[in-house]
């Protein structure tokens, strides 16, 4: 997109084109929601905060936020994709293995469980196994975008770029 023009000042359209400002704005918006509507500690807002932190590459903060959520509600499944991806980004093999094992034991029919297994194998460099588990996750929930992205990344890691692009496009 073109850079914002001076005439866009104050209209908010600069926010749409300024990717660097987006995460700061989202965190500020979350802070406003929490304070204005007495939603401090709301797990859904915390899950969104973790997502914003993850996409801002603030992986340590995202990990801390996800752990706070899961400590308060171990079955808060909506924060799990961000938690699992954060563990992957930080190279936390043991925690990722443990979480994947727990999820498969407790939720064997949930796509996020097999996504967790795929993340673990991807982190360890076992891309064939990671693809297999990401594929299983997509079969369980065809709309689970993180699994499609993982599937594409596993192909890309093995220089099977065409298959990776197909999988990533499926996520969109």
């Amino acid at each position: 997109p073109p850079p914002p023009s001076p005439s866009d000042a104050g209209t908010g359209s600069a926010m749409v084109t300024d990717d660097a400002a987006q995460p700061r704005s989202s965190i500020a918006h979350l802070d406003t929601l929490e304070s204005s509507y007495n939603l401090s500690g709301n797990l859904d807002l915390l899950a969104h905060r973790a997502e914003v932190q993850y996409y801002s590459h603030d992986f340590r903060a995202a990990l801390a936020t996800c752990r706070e959520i899961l400590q308060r509600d171990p079955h808060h499944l909506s924060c799990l994709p961000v938690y699992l991806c954060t563990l992957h980004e930080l190279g936390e093999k043991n925690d990722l293995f443990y979480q994947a094992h727990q999820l498969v034991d407790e939720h064997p029919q949930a796509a996020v469980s097999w996504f967790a297994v795929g993340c673990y194998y991807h982190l360890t460099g076992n891309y064939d196994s990671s693809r297999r588990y990401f594929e299983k996750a997509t079969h369980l929930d065809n709309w689970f975008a993180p699994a499609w992205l993982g599937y594409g990344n596993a192909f890309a890691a093995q220089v099977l770029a065409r298959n990776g692009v197909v999988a990533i496009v499926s996520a969109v």
Side-chain angles (χ1 to χ4, degrees), residues 41-146:
N42 179 291
L43 295 182
D44 293 325
L45 282 180
L46 280 174
H48 184 67
R49 179 181 297 275
E51 201 171 322
V52 170
Q53 291 165 333
Y54 176 81
Y55 290 122
S56 302
H57 301 275
D58 190 357
F59 302 123
R60 293 271 173 221
L63 182 62
T65 303
C66 288
R67 284 185 171 156
E68 178 184 346
I69 294 165
L70 293 172
Q71 184 177 30
R72 291 175 48 199
D73 179 4
H75 301 288
H76 196 277
L77 297 179
S78 69
C79 85
L80 283 175
V82 171
Y83 180 58
L84 298 168
C85 290
T86 301
L87 290 173
H88 182 280
E89 287 293 332
L90 294 172
E92 301 284 342
K93 286 184 211 172
N94 293 337
D95 290 345
L96 192 51
F97 176 84
Y98 178 78
Q99 187 65 52
H101 186 71
Q102 292 296 109
L103 286 168
V104 169
D105 283 349
E106 295 173 15
H107 306 282
Q109 294 302 315
V112 72
S113 301
W114 300 104
F115 172 72
V117 176
C119 286
Y120 171 76
Y121 280 115
H122 191 276
L123 181 59
T124 62
N126 188 341
Y127 302 116
D128 287 332
S129 293
S130 71
R131 272 202 332 262
R132 188 171 34 256
Y133 290 109
F134 288 139
E135 183 177 19
K136 181 172 183 162
T138 64
H139 286 308
L140 289 170
D141 182 354
N142 198 36
W143 295 101
F144 189 58

Side-chain angles (χ1 to χ4, degrees), residues 19-35:
D19 294 336
Q22 203 78 0
R24 287 190 303 275
S25 171
S26 294
I27 292 289
H29 184 68
L30 288 170
D31 291 341
T32 301
L33 282 173
E34 288 175 353
S35 63

